Amino acid sequence: MAAARGEATSDGAPMTAGGARLDAAQARAIIAPLYEGKALATGEGLSAHADGIVQILRPLRDDDELLTAAYLFAAHDVLRDADEWLRSRFGNAVAALVADLRTLMRVSERTRPRGASDPAQAEALRKMLLAMVNDLRVVLLWLASRLQTLRFFAAAKRTDAADFAHETMQLYAPLANRLGIGQLKWELEDLSFRFLEPETYRQIATWLDQKRAERERSVERAQEQLRAMLAAAGVEAEVSGRPKHIYSIWRKMQTKGLAFEDLYDVRGLRVIVSTVAQCYQVLALVHARYTPIADEFDDYIAKPKPNGYQSLHTVVRDEEDRPLEIQIRTRRMHELAELGVAAHWRYKEGRSGGDRRDDERIAWLRQLLAWRQDVGAPTGAAEVPEERIYVLTPQGRVVELPAGSTPIDFAYHVHTELGHRCRGARVDGVMVPLNTPLATGQTVEIIAAKSGGPSRDWLNPELGYLASPRSRTKVRQWFNALALQQTIAAGREILERELQRLGKTAVKLEELARRLGFASVEDLCAAVPKEDFNLRSIEQALTAPLPPPAAAPIVARPRERGAPRGHVLVVGVDSLLTTLARCCRPVPPDEIVGFVTRGKGVSIHRVGCANVQALAARHPERVIEVTWGSERDAVYPAEFFVLAQDRQGLLRDISEVLAREKLNVIGVNTASQRGEARMSFTVEVTDGAALRRALAQVAEISGVVSVRRR
């Protein structure tokens, strides 16, 4: 009994009473009675499924911990405290493998309806599963379990496996392909294809069976000839037949529009040698012995594929004039192609480029598969930081977020309105604070109010409510919109009070907005509280005749060649007194217009200035065409406003930007209230380009909500 129960060593590994580790055979003997009479939802017995997984895995990895975990895959379904039971008898590593496999199976079960119908969701789920895995053996267990399920369906001649087959094509087979586990990939694809396209599968299988004996004899004959030829030339090489599988045959027929008889690589050989020089030596010997098909040669050694894959591919015709594909590579190239970084999964899946971090993670997962030993974190793991997480909605949809994201980030990703109304969250069914960092694989449920908006605390980085720049932008936009509504309300109140003072309460605000040159009442109300709006213009607008509805907007026209000097005002010429309007502060190359004032010469405004629009509506005869002069050293005052979350160093950061752009600051006005800073800057510029550059940089400063020119 003590031997069966086992005693743990100092490192957590189980030991029998005699000091030997419990192995996979002992695990099977212990768990088999507990599996007796119990079955999976598919109808397959637990013991049969475990035996099938081990049968699949043993040729891939003769790893006792892996095979032990395969036998114990359903321990949680037959034991109460399965984690403790597994740790005490088989050690921490096996217990972790079984627990992680159970998690993957449960996630797959929950997401199957979406993953089977949505390729984007299948891709996100693949990324999420990779992010969850720290030991590639868990993925091997998961893939082997699915392959055994498909084998069970095939042996039982089940016809209800379409959902499993579709999910396998979308999720399992591509993942096996990315990890370079070709032995599992091809069988997952073939069995899935058998259930999804049974008639096509049978037709191709019949074609293969009809010519199988002949094809196998010709491949064996070609192998023998090639081995003898290479041996005579003194080249040590491994020559093997390269099987072509039913699904890959169908894919090539579809993509290239070929008939079965026209496929070049139904018969194929692979030659593995020691050096690159031997690769080209073998190629020369092959081309001397057989007739090459010129258009079917690819040198991926001299010019590797974008992912690093290397090999020589050639198609030749044998003595009976039938095509034979031959791949030639070194042992190193073969190992990299099958288990290393250069495996050609992106080529096979029709992808180019991709995320380098995904590749790096897959690379070290492959290394763990190829060189299984007692390792903790993979080599270089610290250099591959997790920058994304993958969580689930209650409906099983995968959501990709930046690492460190919170339930509020999740809510904004799902829908902006859900983020605004977020008031609480459950993670895996447990209520958590809204600034709780989420982890890959968790299920997040948002508790939302019927109405309301975000809290200003969410924008405080020290409180940790938001990690996603996208979420912060949405919160700022909400408060900007709220501030605009408050400004409009304040402007409406000022307007109504001013109209009451003038005894003009019967005047409609729509008419007043039109008289003042605003497109809508909201635009007028938003402008009223600002410093550059003069309430006297309201009285002037009400006493002036209403401009015709079809009045054209003011547009500054370029100076015509040969036009009399009196028709055009050039800024800076002493013949006329000109002043730059303080309300809009024009600078070159702004479009400008002049308005002749009484006693102050010509006032120069930007074309879109609300004040000059109102003045032109009352006195169109005083509008004059103007253009900028050509003085190179002239400087112009320009004013801009900054709205930001108040913090220490904010004014310094803005000043540094202005200094870098060589803008002379001649005026600063700042005010802070309830954590919000409102800042006005007046600077001297030579043209508008420098000002635009500066404003763009100020907008990127941390805490800045908006920047606008006056």
Side-chain angles (χ1 to χ4, degrees), residues 407-470:
I408 302 177
D409 291 308
F410 170 86
Y412 274 109
H413 187 94
V414 173
H415 195 281
T416 300
E417 193 61 31
L418 181 64
H420 291 338
R421 295 186 288 107
C422 176
R423 295 296 178 269
R426 292 188 182 93
V427 176
D428 290 335
V430 178
M431 290 291 297
V432 298
L434 289 178
N435 58 355
T436 302
L438 300 175
T440 292
Q442 292 179 327
T443 299
V444 184
E445 179 184 358
I446 298 299
I447 301 171
K450 292 183 178 180
S451 60
S455 166
R456 289 192 181 274
D457 288 342
W458 294 0
L459 290 172
N460 187 339
E462 296 180 358
L463 299 180
Y465 282 104
L466 298 172
S468 167
R470 174 183 176 184

Side-chain angles (χ1 to χ4, degrees), residues 130 136 139-140 143 172-182 337-340 343 345 349 361-363 365-366 369:
L130 279 178
L136 180 59
V139 179
L140 284 175
L143 294 173
Y172 289 77
L175 185 57
N177 193 22
R178 292 185 181 203
L179 296 173
I181 314 171
E338 293 301 316
L339 293 173
W345 59 267
E349 292 177 20
R361 184 173 182 83
I362 290 170
L365 285 170
R366 284 193 180 147
L369 175 64

Side-chain angles (χ1 to χ4, degrees), residues 119-291:
Q121 273 295 293
E123 173 67 14
L125 182 57
R126 283 195 292 269
K127 290 182 178 181
M128 184 187 78
L129 295 173
L130 279 178
M132 292 173 63
V133 172
N134 293 312
D135 190 332
L136 180 59
R137 296 177 298 171
V138 177
V139 179
L140 284 175
L141 285 167
W142 190 53
L143 294 173
S145 174
R146 171 48 59 96
L147 178 55
Q148 173 56 28
T149 297
L150 293 177
R151 285 181 175 181
F152 167 73
F153 285 150
K157 301 187 183 304
R158 294 268 292 268
T159 58
D160 57 345
D163 288 343
F164 279 85
H166 198 93
E167 183 190 35
T168 301
M169 283 294 202
Q170 290 286 340
L171 178 59
Y172 289 77
L175 185 57
N177 193 22
R178 292 185 181 203
L179 296 173
I181 314 171
Q183 298 96 319
L184 299 186
K185 169 187 172 290
W186 74 261
E187 191 173 356
L188 288 168
E189 288 180 338
D190 274 9
L191 288 175
S192 299
F193 187 58
R194 174 177 179 172
F195 294 115
L196 293 173
E197 299 285 347
E199 292 301 325
T200 306
Y201 180 91
R202 278 194 292 269
Q203 186 177 22
I204 297 176
T206 300
W207 290 338
L208 290 173
D209 287 338
Q210 287 174 349
K211 300 183 178 182
R212 183 182 302 277
E214 178 186 353
R215 185 174 64 256
E216 290 178 351
R217 283 195 301 270
S218 66
V219 170
E220 289 174 4
R221 187 163 54 251
Q223 282 180 277
E224 293 172 1
Q225 292 174 350
L226 191 52
R227 286 194 190 101
M229 180 176 62
L230 297 178
V235 178
E236 293 186 7
E238 175 186 326
V239 182
S240 60
R242 192 177 58 81
K244 197 66 178 177
H245 308 295
I246 292 178
Y247 180 69
S248 61
I249 289 174
W250 177 81
R251 282 282 303 273
K252 181 153 289 189
M253 292 170 62
Q254 294 295 311
T255 56
K256 293 194 173 184
L258 299 174
F260 180 78
E261 295 78 8
D262 298 328
L263 292 176
Y264 285 146
D265 52 354
V266 173
R267 300 184 313 135
L269 298 178
R270 179 171 290 148
V271 182
I272 300 176
V273 293
S274 299
T275 67
V276 173
Q278 288 177 327
C279 289
Y280 289 100
Q281 184 181 0
V282 171
L283 178 67
L285 292 171
V286 167
H287 283 183
R289 176 67 176 80
Y290 301 104
T291 303

Side-chain angles (χ1 to χ4, degrees), residues 343-558:
H344 52 294
W345 59 267
R346 290 197 185 278
Y347 163 73
K348 286 294 186 183
E349 292 177 20
R351 295 161 60 102
S352 60
D355 194 315
R356 182 178 60 84
R357 293 186 299 271
D358 288 345
D359 289 345
E360 290 171 344
R361 184 173 182 83
I362 290 170
W364 72 251
L365 285 170
R366 284 193 180 147
Q367 292 170 7
L368 186 59
L369 175 64
W371 306 299
R372 173 58 194 155
Q373 51 189 343
D374 290 333
V375 294
T379 303
E383 301 174 2
V384 188
E386 291 296 341
E387 297 187 7
R388 290 164 298 176
I389 61 171
Y390 303 88
V391 296
L392 298 171
T393 68
Q395 295 75 33
R397 184 166 72 90
V398 179
V399 175
E400 180 178 353
L401 297 168
S405 291
T406 66
I408 302 177
D409 291 308
F410 170 86
Y412 274 109
H413 187 94
V414 173
H415 195 281
T416 300
E417 193 61 31
L418 181 64
H420 291 338
R421 295 186 288 107
C422 176
R423 295 296 178 269
R426 292 188 182 93
V427 176
D428 290 335
V430 178
M431 290 291 297
V432 298
L434 289 178
N435 58 355
T436 302
L438 300 175
T440 292
Q442 292 179 327
T443 299
V444 184
E445 179 184 358
I446 298 299
I447 301 171
K450 292 183 178 180
S451 60
S455 166
R456 289 192 181 274
D457 288 342
W458 294 0
L459 290 172
N460 187 339
E462 296 180 358
L463 299 180
Y465 282 104
L466 298 172
S468 167
R470 174 183 176 184
S471 302
R472 287 194 291 269
T473 298
K474 290 182 180 294
V475 173
R476 289 193 185 103
Q477 288 173 345
W478 192 90
F479 282 111
N480 289 343
L482 179 63
L484 178 61
Q485 293 175 2
Q486 293 172 346
T487 301
I488 291 174
R492 186 181 293 271
E493 183 178 350
I494 293 172
L495 278 177
E496 291 174 348
R497 190 166 56 244
E498 182 66 13
L499 291 175
Q500 186 175 9
R501 186 186 71 81
L502 296 173
K504 301 288 186 178
T505 55
V507 175
K508 294 182 179 180
L509 294 183
E510 290 81 2
E511 180 182 343
L512 179 60
R514 183 183 172 192
R515 285 176 177 268
L516 290 173
F518 289 92
S520 66
V521 175
E522 286 73 17
D523 291 346
L524 170 60
C525 293
V528 168
K530 298 177 182 178
E531 297 177 2
D532 55 354
F533 186 88
N534 190 346
L535 288 178
R536 292 184 58 190
S537 60
I538 298 177
E539 183 177 1
Q540 295 172 355
L542 293 176
T543 57
L546 188 67
I554 301 172
V555 177
R557 294 185 293 276

